[in-house]
Amino acid sequence: MRYGLWYWPGIQGRGEFIRLPLEAAGIAYVDCGRVEGEDMLVANMAHHAAKRGPFAPPYLELDGMVIAQVANILLFLGDHHQVGASRIADRLWLNQLQLTIADMVTEVHSVHHPVAGSLTYEEQKDTALAVAKVFREERMPKFLTHFDEAAKSGPGEWLIDHHWTYADTSLFQLVEGLRYMFPKRMAALEPAYPDLIRIRDLVADLPGIRAYLKSERRLPFSQNGIFRHYPELDAA
Amino acid sequence: MRYGLWYWPGIQGRGEFIRLPLEAAGIAYVDCGRVEGEDMLVANMAHHAAKRGPFAPPYLELDGMVIAQVANILLFLGDHHQVGASRIADRLWLNQLQLTIADMVTEVHSVHHPVAGSLTYEEQKDTALAVAKVFREERMPKFLTHFDEAAKSGPGEWLIDHHWTYADTSLFQLVEGLRYMFPKRMAALEPAYPDLIRIRDLVADLPGIRAYLKSERRLPFSQNGIFRHYPELDAA
């Protein structure tokens, strides 16, 4: 059994939140979008559209079944592999955190595309400058404080128990993305969130993640992804 | 046992996606934000902050446990009451749909607040006009086509099986909100999505929903909520 992961080729994007726990746990998957290309991804989505299809990538395919939406895919992986939680209260907490991470990722995308995903950054740059200021000054401290509190709330060094989960790998990706997009702002903010950074460091040190980050399977951050580094949008 | 539902008093907002299945199923709850007021809501959030607290309302409180994020709350209610699904594939599908509804609701809010939630509509009206045009012309058909396909995909008249679920009540709320915010655009679009509208009508006719909509527990749509009617943002 191998999962098919379908996502836009060439970028980490939201697909990366799925790749990380798969890689960390050594779960077999094929990165179908990269192997088969964007045309096949579009064709595959159209094929599924009439019967419980995805609204957008990423989605997982297994025996013809499709599971879409990042938090939904992670909930599924958490229930079927050792990357989630078993107790109900823990499962709800991880899902809640993942949904809050997803909310922040959506806001990150809106920083550089506040008017339309179908326009270029340059066409909406003036608005992006205003949105970026609000994001850096109001939204980043609010979200990061919440995630730091979450990182403090467990009995061990991970979010729950004494084992990493998909929410830990998602926090890693969030911190990495924010460091790429807002290096000045993150350098100023990070000292206030030591527990969040502890989890980022623990994830980076997982054997599966160490191997993945060194492989060519890990795509670089770029100006085509969700986290984009436009220097004019950053400030300490 | 009665659930405590905490949400900003005075608006439907995201809390409405929780109220609807509770009302339709006759599940006992206290609308704590309305009963105790906004100051108590803020104090309650602060009380929970250090221990798996909510990032934002709505959240459900039961025996001191907190469950936040709309889709997470609905997943929980679906598993513990007859408002979700029992088969794994159905549960994932409902959660996937709910998350896509949540994505559209977030975009709805960004139509009238594209720069910052902390600024007034008037302060970002020029950008809102541009975002509204993209939302009406590109995003509404894309989302509504997806939800209409979802409404066609089941074996019965509901999304799954022969019983309503929280995803049906969420589609009802989405259509109601869009009709309030974009009456001209919805009048033009609706004929193309008969199956989505069928589900909206079926939900409106559930005894629990009929009673709720006539009660004072159902707050009206208003210019303080997520769906807001600014005539200048609407067009056929």
Side-chain angles (χ1 to χ4, degrees), chain A:
Chain A
M1 184 209 77
R2 279 210 296 184
Y3 292 112
L5 170 64
W6 287 92
Y7 192 66
W8 303 114
I11 62 168
Q12 293 181 10
R14 287 185 168 86
E16 202 66 13
F17 292 93
I18 313 301
R19 291 187 190 103
L20 287 168
L22 291 172
E23 294 280 351
I27 300 166
Y29 73 102
V30 179
D31 208 330
C32 300
R34 292 189 68 188
V35 173
E36 305 196 24
E38 186 165 327
D39 289 350
M40 279 301 294
L41 166 60
V42 172
N44 191 266
M45 278 199 284
H47 167 72
H48 288 295
K51 187 66 185 168
R52 298 189 173 188
F55 179 74
Y59 58 96
L60 219 57
E61 212 177 15
L62 183 70
D63 297 332
M65 189 174 109
V66 162
I67 306 169
Q69 283 280 1
V70 169
N72 194 43
I73 297 168
L74 294 173
L75 193 72
F76 170 82
L77 292 175
D79 286 349
H80 291 79
H81 302 279
Q82 303 296 319
V83 304
S86 48
R87 284 177 298 184
I88 289 176
D90 291 340
R91 290 177 73 250
L92 291 165
W93 169 237
L94 291 182
N95 190 41
Q96 176 178 322
L97 266 181
Q98 182 63 45
L99 291 169
T100 308
I101 293 168
D103 284 347
M104 190 175 191
V105 170
T106 295
E107 293 194 23
V108 163
H109 190 267
S110 294
V111 166
H112 52 77
H113 278 75
V115 177
S118 53
L119 297 174
T120 64
Y121 166 67
E122 287 70 23
E123 290 173 296
Q124 50 202 314
K125 187 172 166 182
D126 289 348
T127 307
L129 288 166
V131 175
K133 185 172 192 303
V134 174
F135 186 78
R136 290 193 314 267
E137 295 177 6
E138 298 176 20
R139 304 303 287 169
M140 285 177 75
K142 186 171 160 77
F143 275 109
L144 296 178
T145 296
H146 180 71
F147 296 132
D148 195 61
E149 281 169 343
K152 275 191 236 305
S153 69
E157 52 186 0
W158 298 100
L159 283 167
I160 58 163
D161 300 328
H162 302 284
H163 189 279
W164 66 271
T165 67
Y166 66 76
D168 293 287
T169 54
S170 291
L171 286 182
F172 164 84
Q173 178 66 8
L174 189 68
V175 170
E176 292 299 284
L178 292 171
R179 283 179 174 178
Y180 173 75
M181 186 161 169
F182 301 103
K184 291 181 189 167
R185 184 59 174 152
M186 281 300 277
L189 284 175
E190 280 193 25
Y193 309 114
D195 292 273
L196 171 61
I197 301 305
R198 181 196 76 236
I199 288 194
R200 181 261 161 223
D201 292 345
L202 284 167
V203 171
D205 203 38
L206 290 171
I209 295 296
R210 278 211 310 273
Y212 172 61
L213 295 178
K214 277 187 277 187
S215 76
E216 60 181 24
R217 297 191 303 285
R218 170 77 164 184
L219 295 162
F221 284 106
S222 77
Q223 301 304 71
N224 299 314
I226 291 176
F227 297 99
R228 301 188 187 189
H229 179 56
Y230 297 112
E232 64 273 21
L233 301 185
D234 190 20

Side-chain angles (χ1 to χ4, degrees), chain B residues 87-149:
Chain B
R87 284 177 300 185
I88 288 175
D90 291 339
R91 289 177 73 249
L92 290 165
W93 170 236
L94 291 182
N95 189 42
Q96 176 178 321
L97 266 181
Q98 183 62 45
L99 291 169
T100 308
I101 293 167
D103 285 347
M104 189 176 192
V105 170
T106 294
E107 292 194 23
V108 163
H109 190 267
S110 294
V111 166
H112 51 78
H113 278 74
V115 178
S118 52
L119 297 174
T120 64
Y121 166 67
E122 287 70 23
E123 290 173 296
Q124 49 201 314
K125 187 172 165 181
D126 289 348
T127 307
L129 287 166
V131 175
K133 185 172 193 300
V134 174
F135 186 78
R136 289 193 314 268
E137 295 177 5
E138 297 175 20
R139 304 302 286 169
M140 285 177 75
K142 187 171 159 79
F143 275 109
L144 296 179
T145 296
H146 180 72
F147 296 132
D148 195 62
E149 283 168 342

